[in-house]
Amino acid sequence: DAGVTQSPTHLIKTRGQHVTLRCSPISGHKSVSWYQQVLGQGPQFIFQYYEKEERGRGNFPDRFSARQFPNYSSELNVNALLLGDSALYLCASSQQGVAETQYFGPGTRLLVL
Amino acid sequence: QKEVEQNSGPLSVPEGAIASLNCTYSDRGSQSFFWYRQYSGKSPELIMFIYSNGDKEDGRFTAQLNKASQYVSLLIRDSQPSDSATYLCAVNRRVGNEKLTFGTGTRLTIIP
């Protein structure tokens, strides 16, 4: 079975631009979570979606938004990019979305210039 | 106080020895605990999870949990050079906002 997939793998943007990152969960998994990992730090929770509804939100500004589609894939949107948004963005999927084991995709590496 | 604390290392262990990685957490409501391995430039890969006090073994890996001391550890027996990576400890509450809270990771180097 395919694991979690994310696209694109790498992205370069300039300050003020908008970016959309995409994630497809493992087949049969209904929960998707998004994390931001800055170099040298552990991943930081951004959002969790389960059955197309937001289940949790981390301490990120409103420039960050996400949604989940009927096929359980998900998008993370970031508006008005700042230099500090440069990071590895990770998507993780789990079956039930309640304290279940989460499996990470390969990530999207975003560089903001 | 950080929610999840790990010694950032680097931790150097000779090949064939036991590597011991430690993690403490501050939230007594934490219910599930995970160890992820992350190679440089890659995404985290799940190694083990543990929910109950005591030890859980899987191959060369043993996770240990002590909820009273708010302490979780990972032992790697017969360490191999391929075990060289950053090891991330993560905790999760079972109620409310479901999220993994990660430590900053411990960089482990296995010396041949």
Side-chain angles (χ1 to χ4, degrees):
Chain A
D1 283 343
V4 179
T5 60
Q6 292 186 244
S7 63
T9 56
H10 294 81
L11 204 51
I12 299 175
K13 292 285 189 178
T14 57
R15 282 178 297 175
Q17 285 190 312
H18 162 269
V19 67
T20 298
L21 310 180
R22 296 178 175 84
C23 170
S24 291
I26 293 171
S27 177
H29 286 194
K30 298 180 179 180
S31 174
V32 169
S33 298
W34 287 95
Y35 293 81
Q36 179 197 66
Q37 187 176 24
V38 174
L39 194 64
Q41 300 294 318
Q44 295 291 315
F45 174 77
I46 309 175
F47 287 109
Q48 185 204 7
Y49 277 78
Y50 177 68
E51 290 279 17
K52 302 185 293 295
E53 292 192 1
E54 183 181 300
R55 274 280 186 90
R57 172 186 288 255
N59 293 325
F60 280 81
D62 292 342
R63 300 184 296 107
F64 288 77
S65 63
R67 55 179 176 167
Q68 186 177 33
F69 300 99
N71 66 354
Y72 303 112
S73 67
S74 178
E75 282 183 355
L76 174 70
N77 294 283
V78 186
N79 292 322
L81 285 167
L82 303 175
L83 296 179
D85 295 330
S86 296
L88 179 66
Y89 287 85
L90 296 161
C91 173
S93 79
S94 60
Q95 283 190 311
Q96 298 289 344
V98 180
E100 289 283 335
T101 302
Q102 296 184 30
Y103 298 90
F104 284 89
T108 294
R109 192 165 297 280
L110 171 65
L111 177 62
V112 182
L113 300 176
Chain B
Q1 181 185 13
K2 291 183 179 178
E3 291 184 72
V4 179
E5 292 205 56
Q6 297 180 254
N7 187 326
S8 61
L11 175 65
S12 296
V13 173
E15 183 175 356
I18 296 176
S20 178
L21 303 162
N22 304 316
C23 172
T24 58
Y25 59 96
S26 61
D27 186 350
R28 286 195 174 273
S30 300
Q31 294 290 329
S32 46
F33 306 85
F34 303 85
W35 284 100
Y36 286 85
R37 176 176 63 197
Q38 187 172 29
Y39 292 113
S40 181
K42 301 296 185 182
S43 64
E45 171 193 10
L46 180 69
I47 298 176
M48 291 193 70
F49 59 88
I50 186 168
Y51 301 140
S52 303
N53 276 329
D55 295 359
K56 179 181 179 183
E57 187 174 319
D58 183 1
R60 296 187 296 111
F61 299 96
T62 299
Q64 299 174 316
L65 175 61
N66 184 326
K67 288 186 177 180
S69 299
Q70 295 175 246
Y71 176 91
V72 59
S73 65
L74 179 70
L75 301 177
I76 307 175
R77 290 181 300 281
D78 188 24
S79 297
Q80 302 297 310
S82 59
D83 295 326
S84 297
T86 295
Y87 289 79
L88 296 163
C89 171
V91 303
N92 197 348
R93 291 179 65 103
R94 284 191 177 272
V95 296
N97 185 346
E98 300 297 339
K99 68 174 185 178
L100 287 177
T101 301
F102 284 84
T104 55
T106 298
R107 187 154 55 94
L108 173 66
T109 300
I110 306 302
I111 303 169

